[in-house]
Amino acid sequence: METAPKPGRGVPPKKDKLQTKRKKPRRYWEEETVPTTAGAFPGPPRKKKNRELRPQGAKSTHILKKSGISKKPQVQKKPREWKNPESQRSLSGAQDPFPGPAPVPVEVVQKFCRIDKSRKLPQSKAKTRSRLEVAEAEEEETSIKAARSELLLAEEPGFLEGEDGEDTAKICQADIVEAVDIASAAKHFDLNLRQFGPYRLNYSRTGRHLAFGGRRGHVAALDWVTKKLMCEINVMEAVRDIRFLHSEALLAVAQNRWLHIYDNQGIELHCIRRCDRVTRLEFLPFHFLLATASETGFLTYLDVSVGKIVAALNARAGRLDVMSQNPYNAVIHLGHSNGTVSLWSPAMKEPLAKILCHRGGVRALAVDSTGTYMATSGLDHQLKIFDLRGTFQPLSTRTLPHGAGHLAFSQRGLLVAGMGDVVNIWAGQGKASPPSLEQPYLTHRLSGPVHGLQFCPFEDVLGVGHSGGITSMLVPGAAEPNFDGLESNPYRSRKQRQEWEVKALLEKVRLPYWRA
Amino acid sequence: MRGTVMERESIKNFWKQSVPLMERIGSGEKLVLADLLEPVKTSSSLATVKKQLNRVKSKKVVELPLNKEKIEQIHREVAFSKTSQILSKWDPVILKNRQAEQLAFPLGKEQPAIAPIEHVLSGWKARTPLEQEIFTLLHKNKQPVTDPLLTPMEKACLQAMNLEEAKMHRAELQRARARQSYYEAKAQREKKIKNKKYHKVVKKGKAKKALKDFEQLQKVNPTAALEELEKIENARMIERMSLKHQSSGRWAKSKAIMAKYDLEARQAMQEQLTKNKELTEKLQVAFESEEEEGGAKVEELFVPEVVNEVQKNVDGLNPWMLRSYTSDTKEVATQENPEQLPEPAAHEVSGSEREERPAAEEEILLRGFEERRSLRKSSELNQDAEPAGSQKTKDSSSQEVLSELRALTQKLKKNHQSRKQKASSEGTVPQVQREEAAPEEEESLLPERPERVQTLEELGKEDCFQNKGLPRPVLEGQQSERTPNNWPDAPKEKKKEQMIDLQNLLTTQSPSMRSLAVPTTIEELEDEEERDQRQMIKEAFAGDDVIRDFLKEKEAVEASKPKDMDLILPGWGEWGGVGLKPSAKKRRRFLIKAPEGPPRKDKNLPNVIINEKRNIHAAAHQVRVLPYPFIHHQQFERTIQTPIGSTWNTQRAFQKLTTLKVLTKPGHIIKPIKAEDVGYQSSTRSDLSVIQRNPKQITTHHKKQLKENSVD
C-alpha cells in the first residue's frame, strides 16, 4: 500500500497552477466543507483545502497584478477580510461587511443535537468509525440548519405579570380585554346558549375552527375568529361529545346511541353503529384514529382514513367516561371509577400500565403536550400532577374545595381546571416545567357549571363550554406563538388544506393490522 | 551422471588391475576421476579418451526444466504481484467512492460551477484583431474594459445608492417641500391682502427689481439679456394676437356696463387698457411686462430645483436612478458655494468620511449598524484568536473605526458580564432565603418542589385535618425533616427502603386550595362545613377499599409469571402412601425451577402495574441483526439517532439527508471508470486492459513507470 501512488500527487503540476488562477471564491451561502457531490473525484478537493491554508503571499501578488491591469484604485481592505479578499469584490465594488457564514449561537445548536457524545461507545473498527463520524457530521449540520431557521420563529409568547406583588388571579377578563389590542380583544366572547344545555366543545388542530355540541342536541361549527358559522343543526338526540377529525371538514359527534360523522355543512356522512353509547371521543391526528370510550366499557379505535375499526378493547372497568390522549405518543388514558388510570394502545389487549391515582374515582384527566405530565382529579377532591417518565409518582398534589370536573393542558403547559362554574388556570415556570399548583394564574367565573374545556391551539384563548353557552377567554401565554405553516396553518386556504390532507394521509402512521 | 554399460565394464576391469589404487582408497584419500582414468603407466592410446572426456567436461550441463505446474505457479505469482501493484493505485478511489455520500454516473467532467461574470471576464484577453480594435475603441471612449464593468457614471449611480445618501437626499427633499409649502402659504396670505396700496407697492418693487436684474444681466451676460428681450417680444406678440386685455373679454364687457355708474369699474377698465398698451407697446415697456415673469422667476429662486425635479421625474423613471441626477446637481451646487466643497471624488473614498457628516438620524442609524457590526466582529474575534490585532491598518480613518469598534465590543462584554453577575446574584438570593426559611433541611439537597407529599404518619400526628391556613414554608420544613426521601431524589434511597408505602402515597394530606373564586355552590360554606363535607366523603369511600383492590390485582399480575415445575412421582423408588412425603433430596432433584426473569419494572412502584407482556407482532418491525460494519447496538443506534423526516428537519436539511446514493442519467451509458476520470495521468499502458492482453510485456518499461508514479 505504501508504494501506491497517492491520487493527489498524480496530478501534473500544470493543472495546479490553473486551479489557483481560477480559484472559485467561496460565497457566503456555501459551506466551508468539501462539496458533497464530488464523491467520485478524490483528487482535487483535498488539494484545494491545502491551498486555502497557504500563506497569503501568493494571493496578494495575484491581486496586485489584477489591479494593475484594471488601473483602478485598490479598494480599501478591512483588516479582517484578509481571508479571501477576491471573493468580496462584487459588481458594485462594494465589499461584504460580513463575510462568511453567519455565526450560530452554540446553545441553540445544542438544543437540536440528539446524539449524546459524552456517552462512550465500545471500541470500533475504522469502517464503523467512519460511519459514526458521518452520522455525527450530519447531525451537526442539520442542527445548525435548524438553529438558523430558529430566526423564523418571530413571535414570542405573551404573559401576564402582576405589578409588584399583585396577584395575577385577581386580574379579570375585562381588564385583560381592555389592555390588549382590538384584534386580541375580539377573541374574548360569550355565546349565550341557554336553551340546549351544557356544551362540549372542540377546536380544530389549526385552532381556527370551533365545534360545540349541547347536551340537548345542538351541534354547531364555526370559524370562531371571524365568527362565521359553518353549520348549525339539532341532532334531536343527546350529544355526549364532539370532536373534529383531521381537518375542520369532518366532525364526529357522540350521540346518545351511536357515533355520527358530519361534514362542515352539517350533512350526516356516517352513522357508525359499532360504536354505540359513546361518552368520550379522542382523535389521534397522526394515526387518523378516532378513539371512542363507551358506556359499555369498550375502547374502540376507528381508522377514519379507511373507515375500519382497528381495535375494540374491553377495559373491564365499567362505564368509561374519562378519557384523554397523550399527544406525545398517542397513548389513550382512561380514568376509572376505582381511582386508577389505565394507558392503552390499540396493539395491546391489556392496558400498557395502570396507575392508582385517587382513592375515589377519577373525574378528569389531562396529559400535557410534551407527554411528561398527567394531571388527574378525583372524587377525593384532589388534583394531582403525575410524572409519566417511568415513575408515575405524583409531583404535586392539591386539594380543591370542590374538586375539578374538567382538566386541560395548553400547548405551553398551562393547566386549567373547571370546578363548578369557576375555571382556575395554573402556570409553571417555563414550558417544560409542571404547573405549580400554589397560586392560580388566572380565575374566571362563568354563568353556569363547566362542561367542556379546551385551550385553543396557537391562540391565547381558552374555550369553555358550560350550561350557559360557550365562553372564549383570554389566557396570555397559553399557546405556542409560532405555528408550522405546513403542519397546521390557521390561515390556510381550502386548496392548502386539501394539499395538506394528501400529505398527512401519505405520512399517516400506520398500525400493523394484525388485528384488523 | 550415469555412464553406459560399456564404461562400467571397463571400470570393473580396471579395478581388478590396479592394486595401489585400492590402497589409496583405504588410506581415505580423495579420488579424482582423472586418477581413475590415468593408466598405471602412461599410454598414448588413452590420450584420445582423455581429450574426449575433457570435451565432455567443458560442455555446460543443461538444467533440468521444472515441471509444468511449478512454472505456472511462478508465473501466476509474478503476474499477481504486478497486477496488484498496478491495481493498488485504485484503492484510494475505491475507498473514496465507498465513503462518498453520492455518486453521479455517467462519470464525466465536473459541471463547471457558475462563476460570476467578473471572474470569467477577468481572465479573458483580446486576441483577434477585431477584438483588439473594439478594445482600443473602448479605451478611447474611457469605457470600462475589465472588472467591475461599469462606467464611472454608473459607478457613481451605484455609489449613490447607499443608505446614508438616500437618507440625506430624502431629508433635503423634505426640507424643500416644507419650504415650498411655506412659500405657498405666504403667497396665499399675500394674495388675500386687500390693501391696494400694498399691492401697488409690491408690484412696483417687483418691477424695479426685475429691471435691475435685467440691467445686471445685460452687463454680466448679454446673450441671456437678449434672450430675455426676445421673451418680452414674444409676450407682446401673443398679447397683440389675443387682445386679451382689450374690451372684448367677458369681464371687460361686464365692466363696460358697470362703468357708467361705477367709478371703480371705470378705473379697472382704464387699468386694463393701459396694461394692453403696455403689453402691445414695443420694447420700452418691455421691462414692465417682465414683472410677471420676474415674479415667476423669484418663485423659482425660492424653491430649490430638487422639488420640481422630482415631480418631473415621478413618472416611470427608477427612483434610485434619480439619485444620480440629484447628486450631480448637488455637486454643481457645492461648486457654487465653496464652504461645503466635497469633491465628486470624495464619493469614492471610504464611508468613514460620510459617517462624520452630521445628521442626527443618520448617526443613530449608523450607530445601529456599527453596533451590529461590532457584535459580529466580537463573536468572530472570539472565534479566531484576534486576527484583527495582527493586522496593520494603514488608513487612519479605518483605524478610528476599529478603535470605535473595540470600545463597543468591550462595552458589550462588560454588559454581558454584569448581566451574568446579576443573574448569579439573583440566583444566590433565593437560595439564601430558602435557607433562612428552612434551616433544618441541610442534608436534603432537593431541587425545589412546589409540593410535597405527606405521609400517613404525619396524618396521624396532625390528626387528619390540620389547619389549612398553615403557612407553606413551615410545612415544607416539617416535611423535609421527617421524610428526607421524596421521590425525585429517591432512586438511591429507594433501594434501601424497598417500597414506598402505597397507603401513604394515596392518603396523603395535600394542602388545599384557597381560590379567589370559589364555586358558587360552595361559596357559602364555612370552613367547618367544608370539613364536614370532606368527612362525609371519606366515610362514603371508606367501604370500597380502592387500595386493597389494587394491591390484589397487582399481586395477581405478579403471580402470573412462570412457576416452578414439579416432576416428583410419589412412591417411585421408595415407599408410598398416605402421609408419606418424598424425601428432600428427591424433591430437590425433580423440582425444575422457573427461570428468574428480570425484575419487574414496577417492582418499586406500588401504585403502578406495568404490562410486561411483549407484543410479539412488534418484533417483525424491529431490527434483528446488526447491519454490517457495526458490532455493537450502541454504535448502530448512534447512526440512526438523528431523524431524517421533514417533520424534524428544515427543508434543506431534509433534502440533503435524503439525497440519492447513486445518481444516474436516464438513457446514458455508464462506462467503466478510466484513469482520466479520476484525474490520473492518461497512459494507455497503465490501463489494466492492456496489461491483460499481453501480460509478458510488463517489463522494465512498466516498472520504470510505476516507479515514477510512486515518486511523484
Side-chain angles (χ1 to χ4, degrees):
Chain A
M1 277 304 285
E2 275 183 354
T3 54
K6 293 271 159 59
R9 290 171 184 174
V11 186
K14 194 180 141 200
K15 231 175 179 177
D16 274 19
K17 256 179 204 164
L18 213 140
Q19 214 112 38
T20 41
K21 222 176 214 175
R22 284 253 178 119
K23 223 187 84 52
K24 208 173 63 184
R26 193 165 60 73
R27 299 277 153 158
Y28 71 89
W29 59 82
E30 283 169 356
E31 304 291 319
E32 212 158 349
T33 49
V34 188
T36 54
T37 47
F41 314 102
R46 202 183 288 173
K47 199 156 33 58
K48 223 181 210 171
K49 246 188 175 176
N50 292 342
R51 206 140 296 277
E52 273 181 351
L53 294 175
R54 272 202 173 177
Q56 50 163 341
K59 232 173 245 170
S60 60
T61 57
H62 179 54
I63 287 158
L64 270 179
K65 211 171 90 192
K66 218 179 145 194
S67 60
I69 290 165
S70 61
K71 289 191 178 161
K72 252 169 227 138
Q74 201 169 348
V75 187
Q76 263 185 8
K77 269 179 282 170
K78 294 264 164 76
R80 252 183 351 87
E81 289 162 357
W82 59 276
K83 259 192 180 172
N84 204 350
E86 201 184 342
S87 71
Q88 258 101 57
R89 282 257 185 120
S90 66
L91 206 62
S92 59
Q95 287 183 340
D96 184 4
F98 312 113
V104 194
V106 181
E107 313 87 64
V108 185
V109 174
Q110 207 51 240
K111 196 172 78 180
F112 293 103
C113 283
R114 287 186 170 83
I115 293 177
D116 181 18
K117 276 171 189 156
S118 62
R119 246 180 68 192
K120 282 273 169 277
L121 287 181
Q123 196 65 32
S124 49
K125 291 182 288 183
K127 198 167 265 177
T128 322
R129 232 175 296 135
S130 74
R131 289 280 284 271
L132 290 174
E133 275 162 17
V134 166
E136 269 162 30
E138 249 170 21
E139 187 225 15
E140 194 175 335
E141 203 184 328
T142 51
S143 52
I144 282 174
K145 273 178 181 156
R148 283 251 158 79
S149 64
E150 190 92 312
L151 188 78
L152 301 173
L153 306 180
E155 303 292 324
E156 282 175 6
F159 55 90
L160 207 59
E161 213 170 54
E163 288 166 5
D164 38 56
E166 190 192 358
D167 193 0
T168 51
K170 278 179 188 160
I171 300 171
C172 61
Q173 282 294 305
D175 297 337
I176 296 173
V177 167
E178 221 167 83
V180 297
D181 56 314
I182 302 168
S184 303
K187 285 168 190 164
H188 170 66
F189 61 88
D190 273 303
L191 298 180
N192 286 320
L193 306 162
R194 300 215 158 269
Q195 204 177 347
F196 294 108
Y199 279 89
R200 297 277 305 169
L201 83 171
N202 182 234
Y203 286 102
S204 67
R205 253 173 72 71
T206 58
R208 187 64 192 246
H209 299 271
L210 171 68
F212 50 87
R215 174 154 332 127
R216 299 191 187 101
H218 178 212
V219 170
L222 72 152
D223 179 346
W224 70 269
V225 180
T226 59
K227 316 281 188 302
K228 199 180 130 205
L229 191 68
M230 291 199 301
C231 70
E232 188 171 24
I233 48 171
N234 199 318
V235 296
M236 307 301 286
E237 207 176 3
V239 170
R240 256 77 165 274
D241 201 359
I242 188 165
R243 202 142 287 254
F244 276 114
L245 298 189
H246 55 277
S247 72
E248 58 271 14
L250 291 172
L251 202 59
V253 181
Q255 294 178 16
N256 195 25
R257 290 225 44 199
W258 294 309
L259 174 70
H260 292 253
I261 291 179
Y262 298 90
D263 75 349
N264 59 357
Q265 286 162 339
I267 299 165
E268 184 184 317
L269 300 179
H270 302 287
C271 169
I272 295 150
R273 294 184 192 190
R274 282 191 64 187
C275 304
D276 60 332
R277 305 205 167 269
V278 173
T279 53
R280 284 286 177 269
L281 295 171
E282 277 291 341
F283 185 70
L284 312 177
F286 298 105
H287 300 73
F288 282 80
L289 289 182
L290 181 69
T292 60
S294 70
E295 270 179 8
T296 52
F298 273 90
L299 171 65
T300 314
Y301 286 90
L302 173 74
D303 189 331
V304 297
S305 64
V306 292
K308 264 186 182 174
I309 284 182
V310 173
L313 312 169
N314 191 353
R316 275 170 237 210
R319 181 190 149 95
L320 302 173
D321 61 348
V322 180
M323 175 157 79
S324 167
Q325 69 161 311
N326 185 342
Y328 183 71
N329 53 13
V331 166
I332 292 286
H333 293 226
L334 292 176
H336 302 295
S337 57
N338 59 358
T340 59
V341 169
S342 55
L343 277 57
W344 296 84
S345 95
M348 296 282 280
K349 285 220 162 179
E350 283 110 39
L352 305 172
K354 263 188 179 180
I355 311 155
L356 183 59
C357 295
H358 293 279
R359 296 198 71 193
V362 178
R363 284 181 73 193
L365 72 104
V367 185
D368 85 324
S369 60
T370 60
T372 320
Y373 307 110
M374 174 176 74
T376 60
S377 82
L379 281 173
D380 54 357
H381 289 195
Q382 286 196 328
L383 174 62
K384 291 183 181 181
I385 293 177
F386 282 82
D387 188 347
L388 288 181
R389 292 170 294 190
T391 57
F392 303 105
Q393 300 300 315
L395 294 175
S396 49
T397 312
R398 264 276 135 144
T399 305
L400 303 173
H402 192 54
H406 297 272
L407 290 172
F409 269 106
S410 85
Q411 280 179 324
R412 284 180 57 78
L414 267 62
L415 176 67
V416 63
M419 304 165 290
D421 61 346
V422 167
V423 287
N424 265 12
I425 299 162
W426 293 276
Q429 265 79 36
K431 206 204 159 194
S433 65
S436 64
L437 301 180
E438 276 187 49
Q439 278 291 323
Y441 177 61
L442 274 179
T443 53
H444 187 61
R445 186 185 296 285
L446 303 153
S447 55
V450 177
H451 195 61
L453 280 174
Q454 200 192 349
F455 278 103
C456 179
F458 308 113
E459 294 279 5
D460 283 348
V461 162
L462 168 68
V464 186
H466 48 89
S467 57
I470 303 285
T471 299
S472 160
M473 58 182 282
L474 299 180
V475 184
E480 202 58 56
N482 297 296
F483 59 84
D484 182 351
L486 297 174
E487 187 60 34
S488 46
N489 184 357
Y491 306 108
R492 69 187 175 193
S493 61
R494 200 163 133 264
K495 210 80 195 154
Q496 279 171 318
R497 194 192 74 209
Q498 287 165 353
E499 194 98 340
W500 167 85
E501 211 164 346
V502 171
K503 277 178 187 156
L505 278 167
L506 287 173
E507 283 179 359
K508 175 185 145 185
V509 183
R510 219 181 126 259
L511 283 174
Y513 287 123
W514 54 77
R515 203 173 275 276
Chain B
M1 222 209 271
R2 272 169 268 162
T4 55
V5 180
M6 281 279 285
E7 271 176 347
R8 227 181 289 167
E9 216 114 294
S10 68
I11 287 170
K12 266 182 190 168
N13 293 339
F14 180 75
W15 274 99
K16 278 171 191 168
Q17 290 167 12
S18 56
V19 181
L21 252 177
M22 290 301 288
E23 284 168 10
R24 267 212 277 179
I25 289 166
S27 67
E29 268 182 56
K30 218 172 185 186
L31 265 180
V32 192
L33 191 65
D35 292 339
L36 294 176
L37 288 177
E38 213 168 359
V40 183
K41 50 188 190 295
T42 54
S43 66
S44 59
S45 65
L46 275 176
T48 51
V49 179
K50 204 175 177 183
K51 238 179 217 170
Q52 275 177 350
L53 200 68
N54 271 342
R55 210 179 300 147
V56 168
K57 241 177 120 182
S58 69
K59 237 184 194 173
K60 258 195 181 168
V61 181
V62 177
E63 262 187 63
L64 198 70
L66 287 173
N67 56 7
K68 209 176 168 187
E69 288 85 43
K70 196 80 180 173
I71 291 166
E72 274 176 359
Q73 192 190 348
I74 289 164
H75 272 291
R76 277 203 307 271
E77 269 169 15
V78 171
F80 173 76
S81 67
K82 275 170 184 167
T83 335
S84 64
Q85 206 172 12
I86 291 159
L87 282 181
S88 68
K89 110 182 156 167
W90 291 94
D91 284 352
V93 179
I94 291 162
L95 193 71
K96 191 88 190 172
N97 281 2
R98 281 197 185 142
Q99 289 176 350
E101 282 173 40
Q102 191 180 43
L103 293 177
F105 294 109
L107 291 171
K109 276 186 182 174
E110 217 173 333
Q111 287 293 316
I114 300 158
I117 194 158
E118 311 107 80
H119 297 286
V120 176
L121 290 187
S122 62
W124 187 79
K125 267 184 184 176
R127 280 188 210 100
T128 62
L130 178 67
E131 283 170 356
Q132 277 162 357
E133 208 171 308
I134 290 167
F135 267 75
T136 48
L137 263 177
L138 286 175
H139 276 300
K140 264 181 204 165
N141 295 328
K142 287 176 183 172
Q143 290 292 322
V145 180
T146 52
D147 178 48
L149 291 168
L150 290 176
T151 60
M153 174 73 173
E154 283 168 332
K155 209 173 157 193
C157 289
L158 279 171
Q159 282 273 302
M161 273 166 63
N162 68 31
L163 186 63
E164 295 104 69
E165 286 212 354
K167 282 231 155 193
M168 269 172 65
H169 176 60
R170 213 183 68 179
E172 212 162 294
L173 277 181
Q174 273 175 344
R175 228 175 299 138
R177 233 172 279 137
R179 271 160 73 181
Q180 190 181 21
S181 72
Y182 297 154
Y183 177 77
E184 273 167 8
K186 195 184 167 192
Q188 208 111 39
R189 233 183 306 123
E190 279 176 0
K191 205 177 145 192
K192 271 188 183 165
I193 294 173
K194 288 189 176 158
N195 192 347
K196 277 179 185 157
K197 196 172 181 187
Y198 166 78
H199 279 294
K200 217 176 262 174
V201 168
V202 168
K203 236 181 235 175
K204 227 173 222 175
K206 271 183 188 172
K208 237 181 214 170
K209 205 190 165 206
L211 203 69
K212 222 184 213 173
D213 283 351
F214 184 70
E215 272 171 11
Q216 210 158 23
L217 201 67
Q218 253 181 337
K219 272 178 203 164
V220 177
N221 195 353
T223 52
L226 267 180
E227 270 175 31
E228 207 72 7
L229 272 180
E230 224 163 86
K231 262 187 206 167
I232 296 159
E233 185 67 24
N234 232 3
R236 192 182 70 87
M237 274 153 78
I238 289 164
E239 176 61 33
R240 283 195 62 161
M241 264 147 65
S242 64
L243 297 176
K244 196 178 170 189
H245 289 99
Q246 271 188 341
S247 53
S248 58
R250 196 192 284 167
W251 176 82
K253 273 176 187 166
S254 69
K255 283 284 173 221
I257 295 163
M258 296 282 285
K260 256 188 190 173
Y261 317 101
D262 196 353
L263 197 77
E264 270 184 37
R266 217 178 296 165
Q267 266 182 354
M269 283 282 287
Q270 206 68 36
E271 254 175 48
Q272 168 118 349
L273 283 175
T274 50
K275 188 148 201 177
N276 180 33
K277 224 175 238 176
E278 271 170 19
L279 278 169
T280 47
E281 203 151 340
K282 253 194 165 177
L283 264 185
Q284 286 168 341
V285 205
F287 296 129
E288 270 151 276
S289 70
E290 201 192 42
E291 64 185 18
E292 285 118 359
E293 285 177 6
K297 228 184 186 179
V298 168
E299 192 175 322
E300 269 181 22
L301 280 175
F302 246 90
V303 180
E305 302 129 30
V306 191
V307 179
N308 296 329
E309 179 199 278
V310 170
Q311 284 158 355
K312 229 188 284 166
N313 288 319
V314 156
D315 46 344
L317 270 176
N318 181 0
W320 284 105
M321 293 306 281
L322 284 179
R323 286 289 306 136
S324 64
Y325 294 109
T326 52
S327 67
D328 284 355
T329 55
K330 222 185 289 163
E331 276 166 26
V332 172
T334 47
Q335 274 170 359
E336 274 175 8
N337 63 339
E339 281 180 24
Q340 293 181 0
L341 215 136
E343 281 177 284
H347 284 282
E348 293 181 8
V349 189
S350 70
S352 59
E353 268 197 30
R354 249 177 252 139
E355 286 162 24
E356 281 160 348
R357 279 184 211 165
E361 293 176 16
E362 282 168 32
E363 267 185 3
I364 293 162
L365 202 97
L366 271 175
R367 222 173 288 148
F369 274 126
E370 210 86 305
E371 269 179 6
R372 241 175 272 167
R373 205 177 301 168
S374 69
L375 249 175
R376 175 174 279 269
K377 232 169 200 174
S378 69
S379 66
E380 289 205 6
L381 272 173
N382 295 339
Q383 277 175 15
D384 42 56
E386 283 194 47
S390 61
Q391 291 290 312
K392 281 186 183 175
T393 51
K394 287 166 194 168
D395 213 310
S396 62
S397 65
S398 63
Q399 262 180 348
E400 274 178 24
V401 173
L402 240 187
S403 63
E404 248 182 300
L405 286 176
R406 267 185 207 144
L408 269 168
T409 50
Q410 277 172 0
K411 221 184 261 177
L412 270 170
K413 274 179 193 170
K414 258 184 211 167
N415 272 346
H416 198 71
Q417 279 176 354
S418 65
R419 221 177 292 149
K420 261 188 189 171
Q421 280 177 350
K422 229 183 245 174
S424 63
S425 66
E426 278 172 4
T428 50
V429 166
Q431 272 184 1
V432 170
Q433 284 174 350
R434 225 187 301 145
E435 278 173 12
E436 282 171 0
E440 304 103 319
E441 70 168 341
E442 284 160 1
E443 19 90 67
S444 64
L445 290 165
L446 300 173
E448 252 194 324
R449 277 280 133 233
E451 239 80 0
R452 187 164 255 295
V453 179
Q454 281 180 319
T455 55
L456 194 67
E457 310 163 45
E458 279 173 70
L459 257 182
K461 275 178 194 168
E462 280 161 6
D463 207 4
C464 256
F465 304 112
Q466 85 250 77
N467 195 0
K468 268 162 248 145
L470 210 62
R472 290 216 30 85
V474 179
L475 231 176
E476 266 187 5
Q478 287 175 349
Q479 283 166 349
S480 63
E481 266 186 325
R482 280 164 202 173
T483 55
N485 53 336
N486 207 14
W487 83 265
D489 53 323
K492 285 174 202 161
E493 288 153 24
K494 232 179 223 168
K495 275 164 197 165
K496 291 177 210 160
E497 194 189 359
Q498 263 290 314
M499 287 249 285
I500 300 165
D501 194 2
L502 184 57
Q503 199 79 25
N504 294 352
L505 206 98
L506 277 183
T507 54
T508 48
Q509 178 65 35
S510 63
S512 73
M513 242 272 303
R514 300 286 294 174
S515 165
L516 287 166
V518 182
T520 35
T521 46
I522 306 191
E523 208 165 21
E524 307 89 52
L525 286 177
E526 301 267 310
D527 263 5
E528 290 188 13
E529 276 179 88
E530 206 174 316
R531 277 186 197 176
D532 286 347
Q533 205 197 10
R534 296 185 69 202
Q535 191 103 43
M536 263 170 60
I537 291 165
K538 282 238 153 158
E539 281 163 9
F541 290 111
D544 48 298
D545 196 346
V546 172
I547 297 166
R548 198 186 297 153
D549 289 351
F550 189 80
L551 282 178
K552 246 183 224 166
E553 197 179 342
K554 185 163 180 170
E555 270 167 28
V557 170
E558 275 168 358
S560 69
K561 69 178 181 184
K563 283 169 190 162
D564 300 347
M565 213 170 0
D566 194 1
L567 294 177
I568 299 164
L569 295 173
W572 188 259
E574 58 187 5
W575 287 107
V578 180
L580 283 175
K581 276 188 179 175
S583 66
K585 188 184 159 198
K586 200 177 180 186
R587 238 182 293 150
R588 220 182 306 127
R589 197 170 158 206
F590 286 102
L591 193 78
I592 297 171
K593 284 206 168 168
E596 192 68 37
R600 284 185 66 87
K601 280 181 202 158
D602 53 12
K603 204 179 81 180
N604 292 328
L605 307 169
N607 63 332
V608 184
I609 303 171
I610 294 174
N611 194 344
E612 299 218 315
K613 272 181 199 153
R614 278 181 63 209
N615 188 351
I616 48 164
H617 301 287
H621 302 274
Q622 285 169 340
V623 178
R624 235 170 288 159
V625 188
L626 279 177
Y628 157 55
F630 304 106
I631 43 172
H632 199 275
H633 69 94
Q634 281 176 356
Q635 294 167 347
F636 179 56
E637 275 164 9
R638 186 163 281 196
T639 58
I640 56 170
Q641 224 153 20
T642 41
I644 298 175
S646 59
T647 316
W648 301 273
N649 285 310
T650 58
Q651 190 60 25
R652 279 281 184 84
F654 166 66
Q655 277 170 351
K656 220 201 143 190
L657 288 172
T658 55
T659 44
L660 293 174
K661 272 291 249 183
V662 174
L663 211 67
T664 54
K665 271 189 194 168
H668 285 249
I669 298 165
I670 298 171
K671 283 177 184 161
I673 194 165
K674 273 186 283 181
E676 294 96 48
D677 287 336
V678 283
Y680 287 141
Q681 224 166 1
S682 63
S683 71
T684 46
R685 297 264 169 81
S686 69
D687 238 328
L688 187 66
S689 54
V690 182
I691 299 161
Q692 277 171 341
R693 228 177 292 144
N694 40 3
K696 276 174 192 171
Q697 275 190 6
I698 337 162
T699 47
T700 49
H701 174 78
H702 228 94
K703 273 175 195 164
K704 223 189 277 168
Q705 207 177 21
L706 272 176
K707 249 180 213 169
E708 272 171 25
N709 274 352
S710 59
V711 166
D712 287 354

